[in-house]
Amino acid sequence: MDFFHGQETLTSIQWILRAVFAFFFLALSAKVMGQRSIAQLRLLDFVIALIIGNIMAHPLSDEGLGLKGSMITMAVLIILYSAGVFFSLKWHAFRIFLDPPAFPLITNGKISYKGLKKARLTIEDLLSELRKQQIEDPEKVANALFESDGRISCFLKADHQTVTNLDLNLTPSPFDLPGTIIREGSINKKELLRLGKNEEWLVSELKIVHQKKVNEILLGTLDQQGSLRVFLYS
């Protein structure tokens, strides 16, 4: 455990051990903090990620620094982070401070300059976000809200929304998520069995319909109706 403490010099093996130890400790820390810190980077998440990354970087680049001090500091920060998440769930005022409510950027097709200034966005930033959501004209937007995590939620006006089966009084088919039965040339036997098929059927289907072998398939999916779709290596 010499690599754990600060030294004048470290061997190559000690550097490797220090990096491996730090990697698994960071992974464990992220697991303890929960999926929220990974899925959505809000104010509290951003602050903790910035600090932890900075703390852990130093002992990985300076042999004079040990890992013990960094790990203790990180443990305290994780406790503070967990406490912050807990208080944000219990206290409305604290939650509003960390995650302020969404505010409008576009209302009934009209851009709010006040909202843009509050969000610190330019017109180009707003238009770029609209294009990412396949909206080419701000006038089509009934409401665009700037969320606390920095994302923009857009809602189109009724006359620009996609027509649904309900609008046309049609009875939609039940949703059917195809199962992955072939992945990179390997058969997923468990999924194939769940869908009521066997390997002999699959090999025969590939040979007769697609003139292919299993190892030639990048991805193969099968739905409840028995429809087999294959994607080949390009």
Side-chain angles (χ1 to χ4, degrees):
M1 294 288 287
D2 290 341
F3 70 91
F4 193 80
H5 305 286
Q7 300 181 53
E8 292 185 3
T9 59
L10 290 174
T11 65
S12 297
I13 296 298
Q14 288 175 322
W15 276 117
I16 293 172
L17 290 173
R18 181 175 283 198
V20 170
F21 193 88
F23 173 81
F24 284 105
F25 183 74
L26 281 171
L28 179 61
S29 300
K31 184 70 174 178
V32 170
M33 287 190 293
Q35 189 68 22
R36 167 193 154 113
S37 62
I38 303 172
Q40 44 189 343
L41 205 62
R42 297 178 183 269
L43 177 62
L44 189 61
D45 308 317
F46 176 75
V47 170
I48 200 73
L50 204 63
I51 295 175
I52 284 180
N54 190 44
I55 290 173
M56 211 60 193
H58 289 295
L60 293 180
S61 58
D62 187 348
E63 59 265 34
L65 297 175
L67 284 172
K68 182 179 179 180
S70 295
M71 291 176 62
I72 292 174
T73 304
M74 283 181 61
V76 173
L77 287 172
I78 290 171
I79 293 172
L80 291 174
Y81 172 84
S82 301
V85 173
F86 175 79
F87 289 139
S88 69
L89 295 174
K90 295 295 182 180
W91 292 348
H92 180 72
F94 190 67
R95 180 166 67 250
I96 292 299
F97 172 73
L98 292 178
D99 299 322
F103 55 87
L105 299 177
I106 300 176
T107 304
N108 291 326
K110 295 182 179 180
I111 299 173
S112 170
Y113 181 65
K114 183 180 179 180
L116 287 177
K117 287 181 65 178
K118 186 176 180 180
R120 296 182 177 86
L121 294 175
T122 65
I123 289 293
E124 288 74 19
D125 294 330
L126 176 62
L127 294 177
S128 174
E129 290 298 321
L130 292 179
R131 288 195 297 270
K132 290 176 183 177
Q133 300 185 44
Q134 299 181 345
I135 303 173
E136 79 284 358
D137 187 356
E139 288 192 347
K140 294 182 178 181
V141 179
N143 210 339
L145 300 173
F146 187 77
E147 305 289 352
S148 60
D149 61 357
R151 300 177 185 176
I152 298 177
S153 302
C154 294
F155 303 90
L156 292 173
K157 293 179 179 179
D159 52 348
H160 292 291
Q161 293 179 7
T162 304
V163 178
T164 65
N165 288 324
L166 186 61
D167 297 324
L168 300 174
N169 293 320
L170 298 176
T171 302
S173 301
F175 176 73
D176 182 9
L177 180 64
T180 301
I181 58 173
I182 302 177
R183 183 184 290 109
E184 297 180 1
S186 297
I187 299 175
N188 185 340
K189 298 179 182 178
K190 184 176 180 180
E191 186 68 12
L192 189 62
L193 184 63
R194 185 186 72 82
L195 292 168
K197 303 294 182 181
N198 54 39
E199 290 186 51
E200 290 74 18
W201 174 88
L202 179 59
V203 171
S204 176
E205 191 77 2
L206 288 174
K207 183 178 180 180
I208 296 172
V209 179
H210 301 281
Q211 293 80 49
K212 297 293 179 181
K213 297 180 180 179
V214 174
N215 59 9
E216 299 178 85
I217 308 300
L218 174 63
L219 173 67
T221 63
L222 183 68
D223 59 24
Q224 294 290 346
Q225 284 70 45
S227 177
L228 174 65
R229 294 192 63 192
V230 298
F231 301 84
L232 305 177
Y233 288 96
S234 58

